[in-house]
Amino acid sequence: QVQLVESGGGLVQAGGSLRLSCAASGRTFSSYAMGWFRQAPGKEREFVAAISRSGGSTYSADSVKGRFTISRDNAKKTVYLQMTSLKPEDTAVYYCAATGAVVAITLIRRWDYWGQGTQVTVSS
């Protein structure tokens, strides 16, 4: 299995940028597609972005498309979420996830492993 630890969250003003990191343990990191989800208070966890095993393909939710970029460094066993043009509605706990699945990536149940989450707060 893989263990995931997010970092990089914090407080940022609207329009600002922030980069989240997710460090993975285990020897099979490259076997997993990686993703980011977020959950605001009182709301369900929602899909943000995902990246294929090799990093060759990425997918983003419409709400963040053009603003957030997901990437991975398999040598460092780390996945990143570069967030720009942040909006107050981006405020949430952001979770890193891993899955061996290659379909239905927006569905929570398709993801096998989760990090503890990191808080991102965007002030207006």
Side-chain angles (χ1 to χ4, degrees):
Q1 65 178 49
V2 59
Q3 294 177 311
L4 308 172
V5 180
E6 303 97 332
S7 63
L11 175 65
V12 64
Q13 294 184 1
S17 300
L18 204 61
R19 188 181 76 160
L20 305 183
S21 298
C22 174
S25 65
R27 56 188 290 271
T28 58
F29 177 74
S30 62
S31 297
Y32 296 91
M34 302 296 297
W36 288 96
F37 291 74
R38 66 186 182 185
Q39 186 168 24
K43 296 184 178 180
E44 295 185 356
R45 192 169 300 185
E46 65 176 352
F47 171 78
V48 175
I51 188 167
S52 62
R53 300 173 185 181
S54 66
S57 299
T58 61
Y59 312 87
S60 300
D62 289 342
S63 59
V64 306
K65 196 166 297 181
R67 299 188 300 120
F68 292 9
T69 301
I70 188 171
S71 62
R72 68 190 295 165
D73 186 335
N74 285 352
K76 294 182 178 180
K77 297 182 179 180
T78 302
V79 62
Y80 305 94
L81 184 68
Q82 179 64 54
M83 305 183 293
T84 62
S85 301
L86 283 162
K87 305 174 181 179
E89 50 262 47
D90 294 319
T91 295
V93 175
Y94 283 71
Y95 297 90
C96 177
T99 183
V102 295
V103 296
I105 57 174
T106 63
L107 299 179
I108 298 294
R109 63 179 180 269
R110 296 303 303 151
W111 295 83
D112 302 312
Y113 306 102
W114 295 86
Q116 83 289 345
T118 185
Q119 177 71 47
V120 172
T121 302
V122 184
S123 62
S124 59

